[in-house]
Amino acid sequence: MNTVHRRHEFTLCLQTELKGIKAKAQKFEDDIELWRGRFTGAPEYNSVIASRLAVWEQSEREENEMALKIMRSVSPLCIIPGSLPVNIDFRARSSCMRRTPHLPPH
């Protein structure tokens, strides 16, 4: 038996094994989808998810409030409404400001 023939047989053997592994994986995926459908289709699903969400929100509340305080402490409080470049540009393009002689017409 030459090397090419042995490699060909080995490749065929590996391909056969791979097909078996893929078939087994597909069976697992089908089972998962079946049980996922049963779980999400159960009458009590929404109440279970709502209670889990409430528990999670309560467990995260303290950390979220602390993070919000930190973010607010970093944000400047002295921003005058309409003073940001985006707002200034918007006001300059608005119809009431176009009548002002020193602004170029649009």
Side-chain angles (χ1 to χ4, degrees), residues 39-56:
F39 178 70
T40 58
E44 63 274 1
Y45 174 75
N46 289 333
S47 63
V48 168
I49 295 301
S51 67
R52 287 180 183 177
L53 181 60
V55 168
W56 178 82

Side-chain angles (χ1 to χ4, degrees), residues 21-34:
I21 291 169
K22 286 182 177 180
K24 196 173 187 179
Q26 186 61 50
K27 170 99 172 73
F28 288 141
E29 287 182 28
D30 293 343
D31 288 347
I32 289 169
E33 285 303 314
L34 174 72

Side-chain angles (χ1 to χ4, degrees), residues 60-77:
E60 297 292 318
R61 182 174 307 280
E62 185 178 334
E63 291 171 5
N64 287 339
E65 287 175 356
M66 186 184 325
L68 183 59
K69 285 179 184 178
I70 292 169
M71 285 189 293
R72 285 183 176 159
S73 72
V74 174
S75 299
L77 299 175

